[in-house]
Amino acid sequence: MRITEYVRFDAVGLAELVARGEVTPAELEAAAREAAQAVNPQINAIVETWPADDEPSPGSTPLAGVPFLIKDIAVSMAGKRMELGSRLAAGNVSGTDSSLMRRFRRAGLVTFGRTATPEMAYSNTTEPVLYGATRNPWDLTRSAGGSSGGAGAAVAAGVVPIAHATDAAGSIRIPAAHNGLFGLKPTRGRVSMGPGVDEVFNGLAVHGSVSRTVRDSATLLDQIRGPEPGDPYFAQEPSLPYAEEVTRHPGSLRIGVLAQAWGGHRTTTSVADALSRTVRLLESLGHQVEEVNVDLGADWEEFVLASARQWTANLTASVDELAAAFDRPIDSSTLEPPILASYHYGQRVSGAQFVTALEIRNRIARSLARYFDAHDILLTPTVPELPPPLGTHAEGVEALDGLGWLRRLFDLSPFSAAFNVAGTPAMSVPVTTDRESGLPIGMQFAAGYGLEGRLFRLAGQLEQASPWSGRTPTVWAGNHTGP
């Protein structure tokens, strides 16, 4: 299969070709590899590839035979490296498949590589020392987002139609917004984190994907959702498959609009203009849209402090475990400045401070739940500005402690983290673009706990009303003229 033909299909479309016998999984993998060779030298999204050993039965699942990439963190594949984007974990080889990896295999996906992540996934840009910066295929001088920036850039550039991603404070939605993709953060407990851990960052982190079409994300979530024995959280199973929800009319939804983020962070003019256009589109589709003020449940600085304590305490435990496992020092030779500073900050977090941070998490979850009693959806920009230039996050980083680093991350993406704290689903949809530069702009839609189906119905409607699949970035595998 030629790359120019390969990139025309989403994951479900490729699987249908396999099911009809028009192409084999091996031929799709070869096309994906050729696509990676064509674009990865420019975007640096993929840190390793390998010969896939999956042999899915054609037509056995809606995704059987589709080439796939996993993120370099949080999912282990037997015999393959998972280095967490860090020199501290360099060379780490997983001994067994995690629960999620087994589900990827059962879904019929053909996994042939891993994508870049910032160190410990602890940033909203993907610029690790270990493998270097991932570049945005729309503008190589800009960030691809994080922490699933490698996944976002690889999908946007046409290497694969869908890739694994994780999200603890926006790490699915931010790369989706920066790269012009669809990305949904599921409800806490929707996808198992086990068996190696019961939760990540006390339930903030979830597994998901970024994709070029809504139906691909819905179909993959259908394949991987559901608990494993011993999981600490459980989200009620949906009444219908999410892939079916994408095709259903959402009805007239009550949508609140939060244009300016908590903490007084200002949305830039270009993003505010895109938000206004999105509101007009929603109104034309019959939705009831109004501006709202949403009580976060805590003062912004109180939220940032609690998050810093919760995040860094978890990080410190992980770093200690890795250092012991690999007999490596915890210093500037193994950790980047903001991660080392966060490690030391976490060492000073007391048990009482940690428990207080969890109490603030509860207040935020309860406050957002009250909002969803009166509204079906909350609309915000995914991020308040266009993708920042590479290097923006690193400016003056040596002077920051763990609190200062987290404040920087939250200042750059103030709309996303609250929904991880609340555990509710939220998605970034590439509804429109910047009028001047043509760069993609994502809009975030959030719903109440367990209501991914509502989001998928709305996303399907938006995809029909304002199609984005025809938009392609400057670095696009489909431009490759090879055989």
Side-chain angles (χ1 to χ4, degrees), residues 11-12 14-21 23 25 54-66 102-110 219 222-223:
V12 172
L14 290 174
E16 290 171 347
L17 295 178
V18 171
R20 294 196 298 267
V23 68
D54 303 287
E55 297 180 355
S57 175
S60 57
T61 78
L63 296 173
V66 174
R102 292 196 297 271
R103 294 185 184 200
F104 285 153
R105 291 188 191 274
R106 287 199 298 267
L109 295 165
V110 178
T219 300
D222 281 332
Q223 297 295 309

Side-chain angles (χ1 to χ4, degrees), residues 271-288:
V271 175
D273 173 67
L275 178 63
S276 297
R277 283 181 276 148
T278 301
V279 167
R280 291 194 294 272
L281 174 62
L282 291 166
E283 290 173 336
S284 74
L285 294 170
H287 301 294
Q288 305 166 50

Side-chain angles (χ1 to χ4, degrees), residues 188-189 192-194 197-200 202-203 227-235:
R188 180 181 298 143
S192 176
M193 302 298 292
V197 294
D198 60 351
E199 59 181 5
V200 177
N202 304 105
E228 292 280 342
D231 281 353
Y233 304 111
F234 173 72

